[in-house]
């Protein structure tokens, strides 16, 4: 893996004690490319990945724009970083985008540059985004065609058998449609960092919206959703994702409870943390299942989950959303008594009281 520029030299002949074989061994085993410069921009060492990334070609520095960073690091004594582009090959116009970080070590009079490949990350990102977009398009189109057809059959037929089958098709389509949406949501969640592009989210408002979205379902089961007092705080993050997480917990609380029971949604703010607590009087979850319900596709009772249109993805979506927001989720449950899911999220430093949202 490791390649020294002047292989013929003995170790003793290296001008930099910095570029010892041990250091080279370590650098060569790391994922990024590295180059060590001595005074006068002379290259003392480069890792083999510096060739792979096109930083070095035929023992010469191709990524010459890094020298600006090298000189500045040496002059100021401060670490420098920046984006640079290198040609993909000796001919052609293709370039590779690299991110370079440069540090000057005064006691060795050496400057150490590391390079990571941004093109590859961008390419993988683009492929993944395309894939998600394609899945949603490819799967949603036949689903909506099937939905329209089955609705047409229901309307057109007098025969109860046909109606029964049409109804079965319709509910399967509905299930498939939810599943597709949740797979897409989950894969997007795994890809994004809501804190990088975040806004203040009013917790009371987000909880209210999630409750509103579940009122129709609760109504059909004659379940009362009881809302606790407001907290008047905000968190930093993605409003849609947070509403989706709260919604999933409330929907589960309804789905896994007998008719005519109550679901309570409480919010509690302490010094730096806000808790969103969803309590039901439902079937509860056994200790052994509690450890697994946040896994993708895990369902305690697949038949019941299918009946309610569950996909087994709801709680893993919740876990991802909350994790992405720097929070956590915990569960208390007892079979036959009910379950309490508690989400904890860090309150925004300049929360609602400052009028900033
Ligand atoms: P599903 O779409 O099946 O509801 P989830 O990921 O939301 O998937 O939940 C996983 C499993 O956890 C459910 O199938 C159910 O068995 C159990 N579960 C979730 N919430 C509750 C609850 N409030 N009460 C009882 N069981 C629950």
């Amino acid at each position: 893996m490791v390649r020294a520029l002047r292989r013929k030299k003995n170790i003793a002949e290296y001008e930099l004690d910095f570029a010892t074989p041990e250091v080279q061994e370590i650098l060569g085993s790391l994922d990024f490319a590295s180059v060590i410069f001595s005074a006068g921009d002379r290259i003392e060492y480069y890792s083999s990945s510096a060739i792979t990334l096109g930083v070095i070609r035929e023992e010469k520095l191709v990524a010459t724009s890094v020298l600006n960073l090298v000189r500045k690091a040496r002059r100021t004594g401060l670490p420098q970083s920046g984006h640079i582009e290198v040609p993909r090959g000796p001919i052609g116009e293709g370039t590779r985008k690299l991110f370079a970080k440069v540090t000057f070590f005064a006691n060795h009079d050496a400057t150490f540059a590391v390079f990571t490949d941004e093109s590859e990350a961008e390419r993988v990102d683009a492929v993944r985004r395309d894939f998600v977009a394609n899945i949603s398009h490819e799967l949603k189109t036949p689903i909506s065609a099937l939905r329209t057809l089955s609705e047409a059959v229901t309307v057109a037929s007098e025969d109860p058998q046909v109606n029964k089958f049409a109804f079965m098709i319709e509910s399967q389509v509905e299930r498939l449609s939810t599943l597709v949406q949740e797979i897409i949501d989950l894969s997007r969640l795994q890809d994004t960092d809501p804190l990088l592009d975040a806004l203040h989210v009013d917790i009371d408002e987000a909880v209210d919206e999630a409750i509103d979205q579940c009122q129709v379902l609760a109504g059909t089961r004659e379940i009362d959703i009881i809302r606790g007092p407001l907290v008047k705080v905000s968190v930093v993050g993605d409003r849609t994702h947070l509403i989706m997480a709260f919604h999933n917990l409330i929907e589960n609380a309804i789905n896994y409870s007998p008719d005519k029971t109550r679901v309570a949604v409480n919010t509690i703010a302490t010094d730096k943390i806000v808790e969103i607590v969803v309590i039901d009087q439902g079937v509860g979850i056994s200790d052994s299942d509690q450890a697994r319900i946040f896994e993708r596709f895990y369902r305690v009772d697949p038949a019941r989950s299918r009946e309610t249109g569950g996909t087994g993805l709801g709680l893993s979506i919740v876990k991802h959303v909350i994790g992405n927001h720097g929070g956590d989720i915990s569960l208390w449950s007892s079979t036959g008594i009910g379950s309490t899911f508690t989400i904890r999220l860090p309150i925004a430093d300049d929360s609602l009281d400052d009028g900033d949202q």
Side-chain angles (χ1 to χ4, degrees):
M1 278 300 285
V2 184
R3 180 188 297 259
L5 186 58
R6 300 178 188 83
R7 267 274 182 237
K8 292 150 265 165
K9 275 191 171 185
N10 293 323
I11 298 303
E13 288 177 89
Y14 276 102
E15 287 173 24
L16 284 178
D17 53 348
F18 196 47
T20 60
E22 289 79 9
V23 170
Q24 293 181 22
E25 193 70 47
I26 295 167
L27 294 178
S29 68
L30 299 176
D31 281 343
F32 48 75
S34 46
V35 180
I36 300 176
F37 299 89
S38 59
D41 302 337
R42 251 202 20 231
I43 298 175
E44 287 299 323
Y45 161 84
Y46 57 86
S47 65
S48 56
S49 44
I51 301 174
T52 319
L53 290 192
V55 175
I56 301 280
R57 190 171 302 127
E58 293 174 355
E59 305 211 333
K60 289 200 179 63
L61 184 69
V62 180
T64 46
S65 52
V66 78
L67 289 178
N68 294 333
L69 298 174
V70 169
R71 287 167 195 157
K72 194 163 176 200
R74 200 182 289 136
R75 201 171 57 243
T76 60
L78 298 173
Q80 303 293 324
S81 61
H83 304 270
I84 57 173
E85 281 192 25
V86 291
R88 284 191 172 265
I91 52 167
E93 292 185 352
T95 56
R96 186 192 293 280
K97 283 188 198 160
L98 302 177
F99 185 68
K101 278 189 184 170
V102 177
T103 312
F104 177 60
F105 292 91
N107 49 342
H108 295 281
D109 197 13
T111 315
F112 180 50
V114 296
F115 303 84
T116 44
D117 186 357
E118 293 196 315
S119 304
E120 183 56 14
E122 274 177 22
R123 192 186 62 77
V124 171
D125 237 36
V127 167
R128 200 177 301 161
R129 266 198 306 275
D130 270 8
F131 181 63
V132 169
N134 287 345
I135 288 187
S136 65
H137 186 71
E138 293 297 323
L139 290 173
K140 277 181 166 174
T141 313
I143 288 171
S144 60
L146 270 171
R147 183 183 285 137
T148 313
L149 284 171
S150 63
E151 281 165 5
V153 173
T154 315
V155 172
S157 169
E158 294 295 307
D159 181 345
Q161 276 299 91
V162 175
N163 259 325
K164 192 175 127 199
F165 291 134
F167 177 75
M168 284 164 70
I169 297 174
E170 226 173 295
S171 63
Q172 286 303 318
V173 167
E174 209 48 58
R175 200 173 127 61
L176 195 57
S177 172
T178 313
L179 182 63
V180 169
Q181 192 54 51
E182 292 199 342
I183 291 173
I184 293 164
D185 287 344
L186 191 59
S187 83
R188 285 208 179 118
L189 283 172
Q190 286 168 333
D191 265 11
T192 55
D193 183 344
L195 300 185
L196 289 182
D197 199 13
L199 295 171
H200 279 71
V201 181
D202 179 340
I203 283 296
D204 293 321
E205 203 192 281
V207 167
D208 282 343
E209 174 136 3
I211 292 176
D212 281 351
Q213 292 174 357
C214 296
Q215 285 295 8
V216 173
L217 177 67
T220 61
R221 307 278 315 286
E222 295 181 63
I223 288 176
D224 272 342
I225 303 180
I226 318 245
R227 168 78 157 94
L230 303 183
V231 274
K232 298 200 179 80
V233 295
S234 59
V235 302
V236 174
D238 184 309
R239 186 170 178 277
T240 316
H241 288 178
L242 288 171
I243 292 172
M244 178 161 64
F246 305 158
H247 168 111
N248 284 357
L249 288 191
I250 301 167
E251 192 179 52
N252 279 351
I254 298 168
N255 280 338
Y256 298 102
S257 291
D259 290 357
K260 299 185 183 164
T261 52
R262 289 171 158 196
V263 168
V265 185
N266 291 330
T267 40
I268 304 152
T270 56
D271 188 18
K272 295 202 164 80
I273 301 288
V274 58
E275 288 185 356
I276 297 95
V277 189
V278 180
I279 308 164
D280 66 50
Q281 303 170 313
V283 294
I285 304 159
S286 71
D287 287 350
S288 58
D289 286 321
Q290 285 182 29
R292 303 204 53 195
I293 54 167
F294 292 96
E295 290 172 18
R296 267 177 277 180
F297 297 112
Y298 187 79
R299 283 166 273 188
V300 176
D301 176 355
R304 177 171 185 144
S305 164
R306 252 196 301 279
E307 253 170 51
T308 60
T311 58
L313 288 175
L315 286 180
S316 42
I317 290 178
V318 177
K319 196 170 173 198
H320 262 96
V321 170
I322 301 309
N324 281 353
H325 284 79
D328 61 22
I329 177 161
S330 58
L331 161 67
W332 174 91
S333 188
S334 179
T335 41
I337 294 181
S339 308
T340 300
F341 285 84
T342 304
I343 287 175
R344 299 191 325 138
L345 289 167
I347 295 176
D349 285 343
D350 46 353
S351 191
L352 291 181
D353 288 344
D354 304 337
D356 178 18
Q357 32 159 340

